[in-house]
Amino acid sequence: MISEIFPNSIRSRAMAIAVGAQWFTGFLVTQSFPMLNENAFLKENFNGAFSFWLFAALSIICMFVVVKYVPETKGVSLEKMEEAMAKKLGKKVPAATATEAEANA
Protein backbone atom coordinates (compact mmCIF):
# COMPACT_ATOMS: atom_id res chain seq x y z
CA MET A 1 0.00 0.00 0.00
CA ILE A 2 2.86 2.40 0.68
CA SER A 3 3.89 2.56 -2.97
CA GLU A 4 0.34 3.47 -4.03
CA ILE A 5 -0.46 6.37 -1.71
CA PHE A 6 2.33 8.75 -2.64
CA PRO A 7 2.43 10.87 -5.81
CA ASN A 8 5.08 9.99 -8.39
CA SER A 9 6.98 13.21 -7.75
CA ILE A 10 7.83 12.35 -4.13
CA ARG A 11 7.38 8.57 -4.07
CA SER A 12 11.00 7.52 -3.41
CA ARG A 13 11.59 9.93 -0.53
CA ALA A 14 8.16 9.40 0.99
CA MET A 15 8.52 5.61 0.86
CA ALA A 16 11.92 5.84 2.54
CA ILE A 17 10.42 7.90 5.37
CA ALA A 18 7.37 5.64 5.69
CA VAL A 19 9.41 2.42 5.77
CA GLY A 20 11.79 3.99 8.29
CA ALA A 21 8.80 4.90 10.46
CA GLN A 22 7.50 1.33 10.22
CA TRP A 23 10.84 -0.08 11.30
CA PHE A 24 11.07 2.42 14.17
CA THR A 25 7.57 1.65 15.48
CA GLY A 26 8.28 -2.07 15.16
CA PHE A 27 11.37 -1.50 17.28
CA LEU A 28 9.32 0.41 19.89
CA VAL A 29 6.78 -2.40 20.13
CA THR A 30 9.54 -4.99 20.42
CA GLN A 31 11.21 -3.04 23.22
CA SER A 32 8.09 -2.01 25.13
CA PHE A 33 6.26 -5.35 25.11
CA PRO A 34 8.66 -7.15 27.49
CA MET A 35 8.89 -4.09 29.75
CA LEU A 36 5.10 -3.92 30.09
CA ASN A 37 4.80 -7.66 30.48
CA GLU A 38 7.38 -7.80 33.30
CA ASN A 39 6.12 -4.78 35.25
CA ALA A 40 5.16 -5.97 38.76
CA PHE A 41 2.15 -3.63 39.14
CA LEU A 42 0.71 -4.53 35.74
CA LYS A 43 1.40 -8.23 36.27
CA GLU A 44 -0.38 -8.16 39.63
CA ASN A 45 -3.44 -6.24 38.41
CA PHE A 46 -3.80 -7.64 34.88
CA ASN A 47 -2.20 -11.09 35.29
CA GLY A 48 0.27 -10.35 32.50
CA ALA A 49 -2.41 -9.46 29.93
CA PHE A 50 -2.01 -5.66 29.96
CA SER A 51 0.39 -5.52 27.03
CA PHE A 52 -1.90 -7.73 24.92
CA TRP A 53 -4.94 -5.57 25.69
CA LEU A 54 -2.99 -2.37 25.02
CA PHE A 55 -1.75 -3.50 21.61
CA ALA A 56 -5.17 -4.97 20.76
CA ALA A 57 -6.81 -1.60 21.51
CA LEU A 58 -4.22 0.24 19.42
CA SER A 59 -4.79 -2.21 16.56
CA ILE A 60 -8.55 -1.62 16.68
CA ILE A 61 -8.00 2.15 16.59
CA CYS A 62 -5.70 1.72 13.58
CA MET A 63 -8.30 -0.46 11.86
CA PHE A 64 -10.94 2.28 12.19
CA VAL A 65 -8.51 4.91 10.82
CA VAL A 66 -7.67 2.70 7.83
CA VAL A 67 -11.33 1.90 7.10
CA LYS A 68 -12.29 5.58 7.32
CA TYR A 69 -9.37 7.29 5.56
CA VAL A 70 -7.58 4.83 3.25
CA PRO A 71 -9.26 4.48 -0.14
CA GLU A 72 -9.57 1.21 -2.06
CA THR A 73 -6.82 0.97 -4.69
CA LYS A 74 -7.69 -2.25 -6.49
CA GLY A 75 -7.80 -1.58 -10.23
CA VAL A 76 -7.07 2.14 -9.83
CA SER A 77 -4.11 3.69 -11.67
CA LEU A 78 -1.49 5.61 -9.71
CA GLU A 79 -2.47 8.83 -11.49
CA LYS A 80 -6.11 8.41 -10.48
CA MET A 81 -5.02 7.69 -6.91
CA GLU A 82 -2.96 10.89 -6.86
CA GLU A 83 -5.95 12.86 -8.14
CA ALA A 84 -8.34 11.26 -5.62
CA MET A 85 -6.01 11.88 -2.68
CA ALA A 86 -5.47 15.50 -3.75
CA LYS A 87 -9.22 16.05 -3.88
CA LYS A 88 -9.70 14.37 -0.51
CA LEU A 89 -7.04 16.58 1.07
CA GLY A 90 -8.42 19.70 -0.60
CA LYS A 91 -5.35 20.34 -2.73
CA LYS A 92 -5.17 21.31 -6.36
CA VAL A 93 -4.13 18.58 -8.77
CA PRO A 94 -1.19 19.66 -10.95
CA ALA A 95 -2.34 20.27 -14.54
CA ALA A 96 0.14 17.74 -15.97
CA THR A 97 -1.12 15.03 -13.63
CA ALA A 98 -4.79 15.71 -14.43
CA THR A 99 -4.05 15.69 -18.17
CA GLU A 100 -2.09 12.42 -17.88
CA ALA A 101 -4.86 10.81 -15.85
CA GLU A 102 -7.48 11.80 -18.44
CA ALA A 103 -5.29 10.52 -21.28
CA ASN A 104 -4.79 7.15 -19.57
CA ALA A 105 -8.50 6.73 -18.79
Side-chain angles (χ1 to χ4, degrees):
M1 182 175 93
I2 291 175
S3 63
E4 297 175 353
I5 62 173
F6 297 116
N8 291 332
S9 59
I10 63 164
R11 181 164 295 136
S12 60
R13 287 186 181 147
M15 283 183 56
I17 293 168
V19 170
Q22 283 182 331
W23 276 88
F24 180 71
T25 54
F27 173 77
L28 289 178
V29 169
T30 305
Q31 295 301 310
S32 65
F33 191 91
M35 287 184 235
L36 290 170
N37 207 31
E38 294 170 2
N39 184 295
F41 174 78
L42 296 175
K43 191 175 267 190
E44 181 181 319
N45 291 312
F46 294 97
N47 296 324
F50 178 79
S51 52
F52 291 103
W53 285 110
L54 174 67
F55 291 119
L58 292 173
S59 295
I60 290 171
I61 292 169
C62 290
M63 181 189 71
F64 285 121
V65 169
V66 167
V67 167
K68 183 169 174 84
Y69 295 107
V70 177
E72 176 60 51
T73 61
K74 184 177 181 182
V76 180
S77 69
L78 293 175
E79 291 79 13
K80 290 276 187 189
M81 282 299 305
E82 183 175 354
E83 184 179 333
M85 292 301 286
K87 284 181 184 176
K88 191 169 190 168
L89 296 173
K91 297 181 179 182
K92 291 184 178 181
V93 179
T97 304
T99 306
E100 291 172 9
E102 290 170 5
N104 292 333

